[in-house]
Amino acid sequence: MNFSPRWLWLLAGLALLALWQHGHRPIAHAPGELAAQAPLQEPLDAGPPDLHKDDVAIKPLAKFALTARVLSRADYRWDNSAQISPTDLVLGWGQMS
């Protein structure tokens, strides 16, 4: 069987699409709360120094710890804030998890 380069590119593209969709599929969870506790947050008194990236400064105000379920995710690549925050997550805990 002789494949032309077009068919090979098409097969490679379909394989990459299948891999991408497999990695972004919803994860099935059993009913019930997955993350029962609310997040813990503590203010930073003196705090670490500001974080800098390009011409943006970020001042840490608190530290936090949480176990949560990711309810939604959005990825950004082309807008102005993508260099600082390329991914937005919607998190849920308690009944929302």
Side-chain angles (χ1 to χ4, degrees):
M1 189 180 225
N2 188 7
F3 284 108
S4 70
R6 285 186 200 168
W7 281 106
L8 292 176
W9 282 109
L10 178 63
L11 289 174
L14 289 174
L16 288 174
L17 179 63
L19 284 172
W20 182 86
Q21 285 186 336
H22 179 73
H24 288 82
R25 72 189 186 288
I27 299 171
H29 294 284
E33 291 184 7
L34 299 174
Q37 295 183 357
L40 302 173
Q41 182 172 318
E42 296 177 16
L44 295 173
D45 296 328
D50 292 355
L51 306 170
H52 295 275
K53 181 169 183 176
D54 298 329
D55 59 342
V56 177
I58 300 171
K59 180 171 183 62
L61 299 175
K63 63 180 179 177
F64 67 94
L66 75 149
T67 299
R69 179 176 183 182
V70 177
L71 303 175
S72 180
R73 174 183 172 166
D75 294 317
Y76 305 101
R77 289 185 178 84
W78 310 115
D79 63 349
N80 292 336
S81 59
Q83 65 179 346
I84 302 301
S85 179
T87 300
D88 279 338
L89 298 176
V90 176
L91 303 176
W93 53 88
Q95 289 182 340
M96 287 181 35
S97 70

